[in-house]
Amino acid sequence: MLLDDWQRIEKIVRWTGLSVNSFALSIGLNRGENLYRIKRGDNGISKELAELVTTKYPEISRAWVLTGEGGMFIGNTEERSLIPAYDIDAVTLAGMEQLPQAAHVLSLPRAGHVDFAAPLLDRAMEPEIPAGSTLLLTAVEEQAVIPGYPHLVVTDCLTAVRNLFRCPERGILLLRAANPAFGEIETAPYRIRKLYLVKGHIHYNLQ
């Protein structure tokens, strides 16, 4: 059974891990309303929209976006993601103005959209994320924060991986380590320069 236009858009958005509005911005649209018109049945998926989607996410099949026929991914990849991976600590890497050339590429099944993978060397998130684990990181906007989930946060004065919580009455974000030896950090949303959701991590137990 073929997915209708909105179901295909919705599947792509879920795969990226973004909100509809954030996804719209990621492909170059001014707002999510353009996509919600498809949901209401006012518009279909145009060739121009398919071009925007597949330019930003080239692993997605343009023919599938337009018609729903075939597989979502080019070359029947079984939804494998090719992820730029680094040997540099994720905290150090996120603080750079521009990412360097990746050391290698990870090929993972059903990982969804991941911007890059890099190791976490500190122990602030242990035992939840063991030191040395490779983080799978996806850029998100502050509005798309999933409370209680680990994020890599870059502000104007710190860079850290912590579980994020909103404190609406004070208008701040709380950054909590899983390791009780590390204290809680507070930051205002306007201080955030970059934000990455930790979509998963890989830990190699060599013992």
Side-chain angles (χ1 to χ4, degrees):
M1 181 178 177
L2 295 180
L3 300 179
D4 65 28
D5 284 5
W6 172 249
Q7 288 172 331
R8 296 199 300 281
I9 292 295
E10 191 175 36
K11 184 173 182 179
I12 297 167
V13 172
R14 285 201 308 268
W15 173 75
T16 64
L18 301 173
S19 67
V20 172
N21 286 330
S22 296
F23 172 77
L25 291 172
S26 80
I27 63 173
L29 298 176
N30 292 329
R31 54 193 178 131
E33 177 60 25
N34 305 70
L35 302 180
Y36 285 120
R37 286 177 185 161
I38 297 173
K39 183 176 184 178
R40 293 194 298 265
D42 298 335
N43 291 338
I45 296 176
S46 65
K47 290 181 180 179
E48 291 76 16
L49 178 58
E51 175 74 20
L52 289 174
V53 171
T54 55
T55 297
K56 175 66 177 179
Y57 305 106
E59 58 268 72
I60 294 177
S61 163
R62 187 176 308 175
W64 179 86
V65 174
L66 284 168
T67 68
E69 295 180 356
M72 175 175 168
F73 295 93
I74 292 173
N76 190 24
T77 59
E78 297 182 352
E79 302 193 21
R80 295 187 75 86
S81 299
L82 299 178
I83 303 166
Y86 298 86
D87 298 327
I88 304 168
D89 174 46
V91 172
T92 301
L93 194 65
M96 296 179 178
E97 289 300 320
Q98 187 172 350
L99 292 178
Q101 183 174 351
H104 55 281
V105 174
L106 293 178
S107 177
L108 299 177
R110 303 185 184 280
H113 176 70
V114 175
D115 285 309
F116 66 92
L120 177 64
L121 301 183
D122 73 45
R123 300 186 176 276
M125 293 303 293
E126 290 187 331
E128 186 177 316
I129 303 176
S133 296
T134 296
L135 304 183
L136 306 179
L137 297 158
T138 298
V140 295
E141 297 183 20
E142 185 270 323
Q143 298 90 335
V145 162
I146 304 175
Y149 276 67
H151 293 72
L152 196 167
V153 185
V154 181
T155 75
D156 51 12
C157 60
L158 68 91
T159 303
V161 176
R162 297 290 191 275
N163 292 323
L164 254 60
F165 296 86
R166 294 189 184 278
C167 186
E169 63 275 10
R170 296 175 58 198
I172 62 170
L173 293 172
L174 300 177
L175 287 62
R176 292 178 183 162
N179 186 337
F182 290 76
E184 186 174 82
I185 302 170
E186 299 179 359
T187 190
Y190 74 85
R191 291 188 176 277
I192 294 177
R193 292 175 47 232
K194 299 178 190 175
L195 187 60
Y196 299 91
L197 172 67
V198 179
K199 293 193 71 173
H201 68 274
I202 303 167
H203 178 60
Y204 302 99
N205 190 345
L206 302 179
Q207 295 182 344

